[in-house]
Amino acid sequence: MKILVINPGSTSTKLAVYEDSTQVWKESVYHSAEELAPYHHINEQYEYRKEHVYTALAKAGIPLHFDAIIARGGLLKPIPGGVYRINERIKHDLWNANMEHASNLAALIADDIASHSGCPSFIADPVVTDELRDIARLTGIPEVPRISIFHALNSRAVSRQYAASIHKKYEELNLIVVHLGGGISVSAHHFGKVIDVNNALNGEGPFSPERAGTVPARQLVDLCFSGKYKYEEIRKMLNGKGGLLAHLGTTDVPTIVRWAHAGNKKHKLVLDAMIYTVAKQVGAMHVALECQTDAIILTGGIAHCQYCTDLLTQWIHKLAPVIIIPGEDEMGALAMNALGVLHKELPLQEYL
């Protein structure tokens, strides 16, 4: 089976071709700040990004003949995880999404190429994957329910990888997956469903390299009405300019570790505090699994950092075995989802 994978990010569009489970071609098309400057909204980049994808395929001599095309899922309405056929409803909701992200363009581009290839097009496990239990949704303010936004694609992929390594099915296990990246999500996987997870985008759970995580609500309200900051500045504090960046002026964890090892007490304190907030969130997810966790998986880019994984493991190792699967392979995860549908090993769902 020949599968094209499309994964747009803020400054690049990642492409790959797989033959069954083997990656036979990959390309990252970078988009400079100067090139993106004329576009004030993500939707305006559609034609620009689409032409770059067609050009990259043409330069590589790859004909538009695929068995399937799969794209990174965008900021749709909350839906259960899995693989979805790209239909008119998906396209409509991406064009009219409430939140902007380059991933919103992925399915639109994939559908266009699929129309020329004569093949199906899919998305899988978008960040808005929502399988929360009802009890996990409520807060003390009815107008502010909890929302599921997390690293669904990689979290589920590493869960399946771990399950296969112990000759079990993902659907047979209780797992906590800690995705350590620019944002940090800690998800509770109960027999194949993510029953609870912190909102890794908009201010909940651990703080991270660039996100604030949970902050004292009253103090945040006072800050909002202090007159010192505009609405957009407060939003940036929560997502983009919070966390390590706010404290230390950098999101580069290896550099922060070097400063900590060199004796810089502030760098060590802030980094250790971030890991402490992650550990507390792991404890919360352990409770969500009724304290019957089979394993805790550490993944994402920061999972390459031994200082961070060692410290986190010290905090949580008594809860369950800690497994480290560093980095993330979104392209491979997307390809495996498409292959699973083509081989009828995974169900194909319809977005309604």
Side-chain angles (χ1 to χ4, degrees):
M1 296 290 185
K2 191 175 181 182
I3 300 164
L4 173 64
V5 181
I6 302 174
N7 183 1
S10 57
T11 60
S12 68
T13 301
K14 295 179 182 178
L15 306 169
V17 172
Y18 285 77
E19 292 181 357
D20 288 338
S21 60
T22 302
Q23 186 183 87
V24 295
W25 175 79
K26 67 176 180 178
E27 180 71 40
S28 288
V29 180
Y30 292 99
H31 311 295
S32 68
E34 292 76 17
E35 289 176 313
L36 296 179
Y39 307 109
H40 301 293
H41 298 283
I42 288 296
N43 286 357
E44 296 171 5
Q45 297 180 20
Y46 169 69
E47 291 293 340
Y48 162 81
R49 296 249 191 177
K50 183 180 73 173
E51 289 308 313
H52 274 280
V53 172
Y54 276 108
T55 299
L57 292 169
K59 283 185 176 179
I62 298 172
L64 301 180
H65 301 305
F66 304 104
D67 293 289
I69 301 172
I70 189 162
R72 181 181 178 185
L75 295 168
L76 297 158
K77 65 182 180 183
I79 54 175
V83 185
Y84 289 79
R85 181 179 71 88
I86 297 174
N87 59 19
E88 293 303 314
R89 174 64 66 178
I90 282 181
K91 292 191 289 181
H92 173 273
D93 285 3
L94 289 173
W95 277 119
N96 297 280
N98 291 326
M99 296 179 285
E100 292 197 13
H101 191 275
S103 61
N104 289 352
L105 300 177
L108 302 173
I109 296 171
D111 184 70
D112 187 86
I113 298 174
S115 68
H116 290 88
S117 179
C119 70
S121 57
F122 313 130
I123 62 168
D125 291 329
V127 295
V128 292
T129 292
D130 185 349
E131 299 163 348
L132 297 186
R133 288 175 170 169
D134 289 341
I135 198 172
R137 298 184 188 279
L138 299 186
T139 73
I141 302 177
E143 294 89 348
V144 188
R146 296 183 64 243
I147 297 171
S148 176
I149 299 180
F150 72 111
H151 305 88
L153 180 63
N154 187 55
S155 295
R156 190 156 263 146
V158 295
S159 296
R160 293 190 185 281
Q161 180 181 338
Y162 170 70
S165 75
I166 60 170
H167 308 290
K168 288 194 173 184
K169 293 182 178 180
Y170 166 55
E171 293 78 9
E172 297 173 339
L173 298 172
N174 276 340
L175 301 171
I176 296 172
V177 181
V178 183
H179 184 105
L180 300 162
I184 294 176
S185 63
V186 184
S187 49
H189 299 239
H190 175 64
F191 301 154
K193 298 291 185 183
V194 180
I195 61 171
D196 205 347
V197 63
N198 64 292
N199 181 335
L201 184 66
N202 293 324
E204 187 187 33
F207 73 83
S208 74
E210 60 180 38
R211 296 172 192 170
T214 298
V215 295
R218 172 61 185 272
Q219 292 168 242
L220 178 61
V221 170
D222 290 344
L223 199 63
C224 290
F225 287 89
S226 67
K228 294 172 61 178
Y229 302 101
K230 297 177 181 178
Y231 172 75
E232 287 298 331
E233 291 175 318
I234 295 289
R235 288 193 60 167
K236 279 293 183 182
M237 286 182 188
L238 296 177
N239 177 7
K241 294 186 178 180
L244 298 181
L245 183 62
H247 283 283
L248 303 175
T250 181
T251 61
D252 188 339
V253 171
T255 297
I256 295 170
V257 171
R258 286 196 295 271
W259 277 96
H261 283 322
N264 188 299
K265 293 182 179 180
K266 180 179 180 180
H267 282 65
K268 184 179 188 305
L269 174 63
V270 173
L271 185 59
D272 289 1
M274 183 183 81
I275 297 301
Y276 176 63
T277 65
V278 177
K280 289 197 295 180
Q281 191 69 31
V282 171
M285 294 302 106
H286 184 57
V287 171
L289 293 173
E290 300 181 30
C291 302
Q292 297 181 36
T293 305
D294 294 307
I296 303 166
I297 302 173
L298 310 185
T299 187
I302 298 175
H304 286 291
C305 174
Q306 186 175 349
Y307 178 90
C308 293
T309 56
D310 283 353
L311 181 58
L312 182 53
T313 300
Q314 287 177 29
W315 282 110
I316 64 176
H317 73 278
K318 292 183 179 180
L319 302 179
V322 179
I323 311 299
I324 302 175
I325 306 177
E328 57 183 320
D329 182 12
E330 291 182 333
M331 308 302 279
L334 287 167
M336 291 307 97
N337 274 286
L339 190 63
V341 167
L342 293 174
H343 286 167
K344 302 188 184 305
E345 296 169 353
L346 293 175
L348 179 61
Q349 303 185 70
E350 194 75 13
Y351 181 87
L352 301 174

